[in-house]
Amino acid sequence: MLSMKTVDETTLSNLLQLSRLSPESTDMATLKKQVDEIVGYFDILSKYDDSENPYDAYPSTEAEKLREDEIVPGLDIPSLKQTTDKFMDGYYQVPKVLGEGA
């Protein structure tokens, strides 16, 4: 049979102080039972192996496999003007994205 860890009265009163709860406004028996259940969950969680590296779930990128940095010419202004009629003073006019007051 599993022996469940419980919280002593000193720890419970410290938790009340940290949470800004007063013993008068709280049913101490119910609160102690709930805190004991939370501590019990940690016992359950500690049974699972957590030794694997959590970063293994994410793909890594090796610097050698990245493309080379090279400067290429950009688009010139006359060709940009041909793509839309909403181009003025070097900028595109786009629909408003943010709502009012932003």
Side-chain angles (χ1 to χ4, degrees):
M1 185 168 157
L2 295 172
S3 63
M4 191 168 158
K5 295 181 182 177
T6 59
V7 175
D8 61 358
E9 296 300 321
T10 306
T11 305
L12 189 58
S13 66
N14 289 341
L15 287 172
L16 284 174
Q17 181 179 0
L18 286 172
S19 64
R20 304 277 193 244
L21 293 173
S22 65
E24 297 82 27
S25 67
T26 308
D27 179 21
M28 293 298 285
T30 304
L31 183 64
K32 181 167 180 6
K33 181 179 178 280
Q34 291 172 344
V35 171
D36 287 340
E37 288 174 359
I38 292 170
V39 171
Y41 289 132
F42 285 106
D43 288 337
I44 294 169
L45 291 175
S46 67
K47 293 177 186 175
Y48 294 97
D49 181 27
D50 63 347
S51 62
E52 72 179 45
N53 186 352
Y55 297 106
D56 288 343
Y58 303 103
S60 62
T61 303
E62 297 176 16
E64 299 84 33
K65 295 182 180 177
L66 297 175
R67 65 173 171 79
E68 293 293 323
D69 286 336
E70 58 185 66
I71 299 173
V72 296
L75 299 173
D76 56 346
I77 298 296
S79 64
L80 289 175
K81 286 182 181 179
Q82 292 175 358
T83 60
T84 182
D85 59 345
K86 298 186 182 206
F87 186 84
M88 185 185 344
D89 297 330
Y91 298 99
Y92 281 103
Q93 180 184 359
V94 296
K96 187 173 183 177
V97 177
L98 300 174
E100 298 208 16

